[in-house]
Amino acid sequence: MRYFLDTEYNGWGGALLSLALVPDDGEELYLTLAWDGDLDPWVERHVLPYLDMVPESHRSPRMSRDDAARTVAHYLSGDPEPLVVADWPEDIAQFSALLVTGPGQMVEVPSMRFQFLPLGGFSTAANSRVPHNALHDARALRDHILGME
């Protein structure tokens, strides 16, 4: 199955704050993570206020990285070959880094593929119901790609 990915993180190269995987059809995953330290001022204004602007069924308590990694692994466990699609390279980097839980350790996930689709002229945030919310941005990416097919 194909999963459209979006993440929000604390400035360039900063800590992961939220992650969404939205399949072509079916159950979506939305996670928010706990963080330590100061937030980038832009993130504090444009991301943090919108983390919980999702349907009640998708609201997530702030999770530890380990709990978030285990949740992602469980979510993908029923799919023998997930394809994760993103329009921004940092989304793939943040997702991949989340799977690593310690030195030489990672959560158990199926063999998966990644597809990076640079979409010049298309902005997930500009087409999202709630810009800079990973769930709504991933939905916007899915809808855009499905509309192109």
Side-chain angles (χ1 to χ4, degrees):
M1 180 176 294
R2 184 168 57 170
Y3 302 87
F4 297 92
L5 169 68
D6 193 76
T7 65
E8 299 299 334
Y9 42 92
N10 190 15
W12 186 81
L16 181 63
L17 301 174
S18 64
L19 175 145
L21 289 168
V22 174
D24 285 316
D25 185 31
E27 182 182 343
E28 302 167 324
L29 177 69
Y30 177 67
L31 306 173
T32 59
L33 286 81
W35 65 88
D36 291 326
D38 296 330
L39 289 171
D40 177 277
W42 188 92
V43 171
E44 195 164 12
R45 283 190 313 276
H46 298 282
V47 175
L48 194 61
Y50 306 105
L51 284 179
D52 296 320
M53 292 189 75
V54 295
E56 186 67 37
S57 61
H58 286 77
R59 291 214 178 119
S60 162
R62 305 297 183 252
M63 305 174 105
S64 69
R65 285 185 64 84
D66 284 350
D67 287 344
R70 283 190 294 273
T71 301
V72 168
H74 181 265
Y75 176 76
L76 294 174
S77 67
D79 189 338
E81 280 192 38
L83 171 60
V84 178
V85 179
D87 68 335
W88 193 248
E90 185 71 10
D91 291 331
I92 295 171
Q94 289 280 352
F95 178 85
S96 297
L98 178 65
L99 302 178
V100 178
T101 56
Q105 298 177 345
M106 65 177 275
V107 292
E108 187 175 327
V109 291
S111 175
M112 69 180 77
R113 295 176 296 129
F114 293 91
Q115 183 177 18
F116 170 57
L117 293 174
L119 299 171
F122 177 80
S123 163
T124 54
N127 289 278
S128 177
R129 282 190 57 210
V130 181
H132 309 299
N133 173 284
L135 178 63
H136 293 286
D137 290 359
R139 287 173 172 174
L141 175 61
R142 177 202 57 200
D143 294 347
H144 180 71
I145 297 299
L146 291 177
M148 291 173 28
E149 295 177 343

